[in-house]
Amino acid sequence: MNELIKVDHLHKSYDQNTVLRDINLTINKGEVVVIIGPSGCGKSTFLRCLNGLETIDSGHIEVCGHEVNTTSKEIYKIRQKVGMVFQSYDLFPHKTVIENIILAPLKVQKRNRADAEKEAIELLAKVGLSDKKDYYPRQLSGGQKQRVAIVRALIMHPDVLLFDEVTAALDPEMVHEVLQTMLELAKNGSTMLIVTHEMAFARAVADRIVFFDKGDIVEETGDVKAFFDAPKTERAKNFLKTFTYD
Ligand SMILES: Nc1ncnc2c1ncn2[C@@H]1O[C@H](COP(=O)(O)OP(=O)(O)OP(=O)(O)O)[C@@H](O)[C@H]1O
Ligand SMILES: [Mg+2]
């Protein structure tokens, strides 16, 4: 199946506040789509809608051919297909790195421990954390914890990965290592939907840019370079002006 995520006419509000207005977006297998936009424009809400963490007012969301409907039991299946990494990594503090990583494979996917541990160790090596498997989260830097959170998503073999500002809470010197990990995933063909405020990274990683503002998709383009060099809309121009490039 080529279309992994298909969103049609999605509307979402909190009480009187319309947060997402008629959103239409399709994400194909192997694509890296980056969502950018001002604070409060609905980016996180949109990502949460995609794996059924929010109810929607109207419209349709399909993930891997399944309708996302928070009242349906199917949602548990869908969530296994969608890996999500947030700004706060939410690792269990009383569990070691490897225990954090293999928890869901053992409990949710009923995999055997030796198998899950073996894969966890391989994935930790890929993100440069081979020596940290028996550490506790408190013994890790923010960037290391975030890479563990990425491994925790990857070990579930999701069809698509959602990232919501995963570097926003990190010290500047930690940002690079996490973005590097995501660039590697993109290079290896992962399907990814990324919300970020790191414009240089967005430009480097994106196959397509989606610019949100006030709950609308204002601009969407596969010509990533053109978007950053000369956005078509005033709203995107004004947004990009607020960033300086190094
Ligand atoms: N649980 C909630 N209840 C009520 N309003 C909410 C809730 N979650 C988000 N909102 C509102 O929805 C709007 C969109 O929020 P959202 O978190 O999706 O923005 P965002 O684009 O991710 O912003 P940021 O870049 O700051 O993370 C905001 O106006 C916010 O106040
Ligand atoms: Mg957000």
Side-chain angles (χ1 to χ4, degrees), residues 36-43 197 211-214 235 239 243:
I36 59 174
S39 181
C41 70
K43 307 179 297 293
H197 284 300
F211 172 62
F212 269 60
D213 192 14
K214 301 195 182 88
R235 281 152 89 182
F239 173 72
F243 292 89

Side-chain angles (χ1 to χ4, degrees), residues 40 43-45 87 164-165 195:
K43 307 179 297 293
S44 296
T45 305
Q87 181 176 327
D164 191 0
E165 293 197 45
V195 171

Side-chain angles (χ1 to χ4, degrees), residues 21 47 67 71 86 102-103 106 123 151 157 163 183 206-207:
R21 202 176 283 111
L47 254 51
E67 173 98 22
T71 59
F86 301 89
I102 67 173
L103 190 68
L106 298 189
L123 288 169
V151 166
H157 300 274
F163 293 91
L183 275 169
D207 296 318

Side-chain angles (χ1 to χ4, degrees), residues 7-118:
V7 177
D8 286 309
H9 301 295
L10 167 63
H11 289 260
K12 162 82 187 162
S13 50
Y14 293 108
D15 301 318
Q16 303 305 313
N17 182 17
T18 301
V19 176
L20 298 171
R21 202 176 283 111
D22 198 28
I23 300 293
N24 297 285
L25 188 69
T26 300
I27 296 173
N28 297 313
K29 196 168 163 43
E31 252 192 320
V32 178
V33 175
V34 174
I35 298 179
I36 59 174
S39 181
C41 70
K43 307 179 297 293
S44 296
T45 305
F46 179 63
L47 254 51
R48 287 202 306 272
C49 288
L50 294 182
N51 63 355
L53 294 172
E54 297 282 351
T55 55
I56 65 174
D57 299 343
S58 61
H60 289 282
I61 303 175
E62 243 181 62
V63 173
C64 305
H66 299 276
E67 173 98 22
V68 177
N69 174 342
T70 48
T71 59
S72 148
K73 275 197 187 146
E74 286 242 304
I75 194 64
Y76 298 105
K77 273 194 233 155
I78 293 169
R79 287 203 187 124
Q80 287 189 51
K81 295 180 187 294
V82 181
M84 188 149 179
V85 186
F86 301 89
Q87 181 176 327
S88 62
Y89 3 84
D90 295 324
L91 299 175
F92 290 108
H94 58 287
K95 290 187 183 291
T96 61
V97 164
I98 191 145
E99 287 167 343
N100 266 285
I101 295 168
I102 67 173
L103 190 68
L106 298 189
K107 297 258 181 218
V108 181
Q109 294 181 330
K110 313 286 182 210
R111 285 170 65 181
N112 87 48
R113 174 174 284 270
D115 209 44
E117 280 185 358
K118 182 169 173 281

